[in-house]
Amino acid sequence: MHPVAIRQAGKRQRGDAQASPRSLHPGAAGRPPGWVDRLDAGPDPVAFAINAIVLGTIAAVHATTDAPLGFGFLYLGPVAWVAWRWGWFAGVLWAVVAALLWLVAEPAGTPVVVVWNLAVQTAALLAAAFLVAGLRQERDAVRTLAGTDHQTGVHNPHAFRELVELERSRALRYDRPFTLAYMDVDGFRRINREWGHTAGDQALRMVATTIRENIRSMDSVARMGGDEFALLFPETGKGAAGVALHKIQSRLLQTSDDRSLSLGFTIGAVICVGAPESVDDLIQRAEALMYAAKEDGGSGIRTEVLDGNFGIEAILQRG
């Protein structure tokens, strides 16, 4: 895509000394791309309370029923739900609680019978907890791999677009700024041509690793194809974007020189103060700015402020 239409807009000031606040992003964009919805911070109190009520109700009905009905399988539901939502450790604890409730509710028998039944019930509940937790881990791993570039280990384009869409929706709702950058590795084709594709793959992994080591956990990086990468910086206005982009470019140049690769890094970035119309439009804008910077000689940084609102947050971020 040729960047003629936005070349003049790209001549704006490339950053200022004052960095805007870059607070923690509730979406935790540094995780795998939106796949893992497990509540890592701990159980949701409401969900936990509902599960406890369900388990207590099962035990109460079990204890008050005189008919010789089998209730053991009913305890599997709450245990499996906890294991799925919070992992094997929580599932094991809940299995032990469920087994003890079952023991209290189960009609008494001889000591041998009680011990045997308790052991069988506990084993069944523990097996269910481990099985369900394992299935959840497998599902999360598959979903994570589906959103990962196999060559570099960073996000792939599909996963990155999902992250940008989440950030765009958040910007629409809360009027918070964010920045999207598009970067090309200058000189990459020379490495492939002179040293071979194995060296080229190693260079791409070096770029991805260097970027990940120099961004926040809430930021995201993706390989968009070939030697092109994209970065997403939540809660990042004009000043902070300039600081972050120059830092990343500087570290990449330093790492490249240390390995005698002689690579350059050209970056185009859109600072969104107000949400863009679409994710594709935003990525295309950043890509066009990158190409415009390449026409200026490469290894440059060109930015554009996309101002979609005129509220107090937009005024502060423009300033």
Side-chain angles (χ1 to χ4, degrees):
M1 178 178 59
H2 197 274
V4 173
I6 68 160
R7 185 174 298 175
Q8 293 302 320
K11 298 288 185 184
R12 296 184 182 182
Q13 184 178 359
R14 296 182 180 178
D16 48 44
Q18 179 113 15
S20 64
R22 304 174 76 194
S23 58
L24 289 177
H25 181 236
R31 294 185 196 173
W35 301 124
V36 182
D37 55 0
R38 186 172 305 206
L39 302 181
D40 297 324
D44 176 9
V46 175
F48 188 84
I50 292 174
N51 187 275
I53 291 172
V54 170
L55 184 60
T57 301
I58 293 172
V61 173
H62 183 190
T64 57
T65 301
D66 295 329
L69 300 176
F71 279 83
F73 73 97
L74 294 178
Y75 292 83
L76 293 173
V79 172
W81 188 84
V82 167
W84 179 267
R85 194 172 180 100
W86 295 303
W88 68 267
F89 184 75
V92 167
L93 292 179
W94 212 235
V96 172
V97 171
L100 292 175
L101 288 175
W102 175 89
L103 177 64
V104 172
E106 184 71 8
T110 65
V112 174
V113 171
V114 170
V115 171
W116 173 260
N117 288 342
L118 178 62
V120 171
Q121 182 68 7
T122 303
L125 293 173
L126 289 175
F130 279 108
L131 177 61
V132 171
L135 289 174
R136 174 60 186 265
Q137 286 183 336
E138 289 294 328
R139 192 204 71 164
D140 290 345
V142 170
R143 288 189 170 189
T144 299
L145 288 175
T148 302
D149 174 62
H150 73 280
Q151 193 67 258
T152 60
V154 299
H155 300 311
N156 62 23
H158 176 74
F160 186 74
R161 282 181 168 85
E162 286 190 346
L163 286 172
V164 178
E165 179 58 39
L166 288 174
E167 194 60 33
R168 191 184 80 88
S169 300
R170 185 171 167 274
L172 280 170
R173 184 171 183 178
Y174 299 111
D175 289 332
R176 302 303 302 167
F178 68 95
T179 295
L180 186 143
Y182 204 96
M183 186 188 78
D184 182 70
V185 182
D186 305 321
F188 175 74
R189 289 184 179 87
R190 174 185 53 79
I191 292 179
N192 270 340
R193 184 176 62 253
E194 296 180 1
W195 297 350
H197 289 284
T198 300
D201 294 343
Q202 292 175 349
L204 289 175
R205 287 191 288 270
M206 178 274 292
V207 171
T209 299
T210 302
I211 293 175
R212 284 190 296 190
E213 290 175 349
N214 289 280
I215 59 177
R216 304 166 299 176
S217 61
M218 61 189 282
D219 301 329
S220 301
V221 57
R223 182 186 176 205
M224 304 302 285
D227 58 349
E228 296 180 346
F229 292 81
L231 298 96
L232 176 64
F233 301 97
E235 293 288 332
T236 305
K238 184 177 180 181
V243 172
L245 293 174
H246 280 92
K247 173 188 174 182
I248 290 170
Q249 187 189 56
S250 175
R251 297 293 171 81
L252 285 169
L253 289 170
Q254 180 182 349
T255 304
S256 173
D257 290 342
D258 291 343
R259 301 191 181 189
S260 301
L261 296 176
S262 300
L263 296 173
F265 304 91
T266 303
I267 303 174
V270 181
I271 297 100
C272 296
V273 185
E277 291 185 2
S278 71
V279 170
D280 287 338
D281 175 66
L282 179 58
I283 293 176
Q284 289 173 5
R285 282 174 178 263
E287 185 180 11
L289 286 166
M290 181 269 292
Y291 278 115
K294 286 178 75 71
E295 289 189 351
D296 289 341
S299 290
I301 298 176
R302 179 171 290 206
T303 63
E304 176 187 44
V305 176
L306 181 63
D307 193 343
N309 67 57
F310 299 93
I312 184 62
E313 292 292 344
I315 295 173
L316 290 174
Q317 293 300 331
R318 284 199 303 273

